[in-house]
Amino acid sequence: MLRAALEAEAALSADVVVMLRKLAKKDETTRLRGLAELLALAREPARAAQCAELLPHFVPPFARLAADGSRRVREQACVLLGVLGSTLGRALAPHLRALLPPLLWASCDAAPEVAAAASGAFAAMLPSRAKRADALLFAQRELFARSTAAVLAAAPPYLSARASAAAEADGAAVELSLIHI
C-alpha cells in the first residue's frame, strides 16, 4: 500500500507534492498556504490535466480539512473543491462517494462563510438539480455510514471547547444539587 502511494506520488510534479504535504501540517498558516497554492494551480486553465492527476490525492486531505478547527481552512478547502469541480467536471465522478459526506457536513457549518463555500462547491460540482439528486442517490450508503459514524463519534474539535464548557457547567450544577440533598 505504501509502495503504491509512493509510486502515485512520484507521478505528480514535485511542486504539487509539496503543496499536498502542506495540507497535512499542524500549522494553520501552512495549510492555508498549501490551499492557496493549489487554488492558484486549479484556476489555471492550461493545468487542467495536472488537476486531474492531483484529484485522487486531494480526496483524503479534503475530508480532514473540511472538519478542521480553523474556519478559514474549512472555507478554503471548500472553495478549492468547487474550483476543481467546475474545472474537472465528470472526472470527479469516481470520487463523489468520498467527497460528498464531508462537503455536505461543511454546508451545515456554523460559520456562514464555510456553509456558503460548501454550498457553492456542491453547485459547481453538480450544476443541475437532477445531477445533484443522482449524486446523492449514488453516494447514499457512504453518506449514511459516515453520518452515523460522525454522530456517534466525539464532537468536532472546533465545537469541543463550547461543548466541554457547557458540559462542565451542567456537571457542576448536578454536583451542586447532589451535595445539597
Side-chain angles (χ1 to χ4, degrees), residues 144-154:
F144 286 123
R146 289 200 184 181
S147 297
T148 303
V151 168
L152 296 177

Side-chain angles (χ1 to χ4, degrees), residues 3-167:
R3 173 179 267 161
L6 291 174
E7 289 173 4
E9 191 175 277
L12 294 173
S13 67
D15 59 335
V16 173
V17 171
V18 170
M19 291 177 209
L20 286 169
R21 286 187 180 161
K22 286 181 181 180
L23 301 181
K25 299 292 182 181
K26 290 182 181 180
D27 183 39
E28 170 190 355
T29 307
T30 307
R31 289 191 309 271
L32 285 170
R33 284 185 191 145
L35 286 167
E37 291 170 5
L38 286 171
L39 191 57
L41 173 85
R43 286 187 171 147
E44 291 181 31
R47 297 182 83 173
Q50 198 171 16
C51 289
E53 293 171 1
L54 157 80
L55 186 61
H57 304 283
F58 177 68
V59 173
F62 175 74
R64 277 192 323 273
L65 295 170
D68 194 86
S70 167
R71 173 197 56 83
R72 295 185 306 164
V73 170
R74 295 191 310 269
E75 178 184 3
Q76 288 303 309
C78 291
V79 168
L80 175 58
L81 184 61
V83 171
L84 286 172
S86 62
T87 301
L88 299 175
R90 290 183 183 256
L92 281 175
H95 309 287
L96 275 179
R97 285 190 174 133
L99 289 172
L100 282 181
L103 182 63
L104 292 178
W105 278 92
S107 69
C108 300
D109 198 289
E113 301 89 359
V114 177
S119 298
F122 188 58
M125 288 169 50
L126 305 159
S128 71
R129 287 182 77 123
K131 285 184 180 181
R132 289 183 205 141
D134 289 343
L136 290 172
L137 286 173
F138 174 70
Q140 78 181 19
R141 281 193 179 162
E142 188 71 21
L143 283 166
F144 286 123
R146 289 200 184 181
S147 297
T148 303
V151 168
L152 296 177
Y158 57 91
L159 294 178
S160 63
R162 256 191 244 157
S164 64

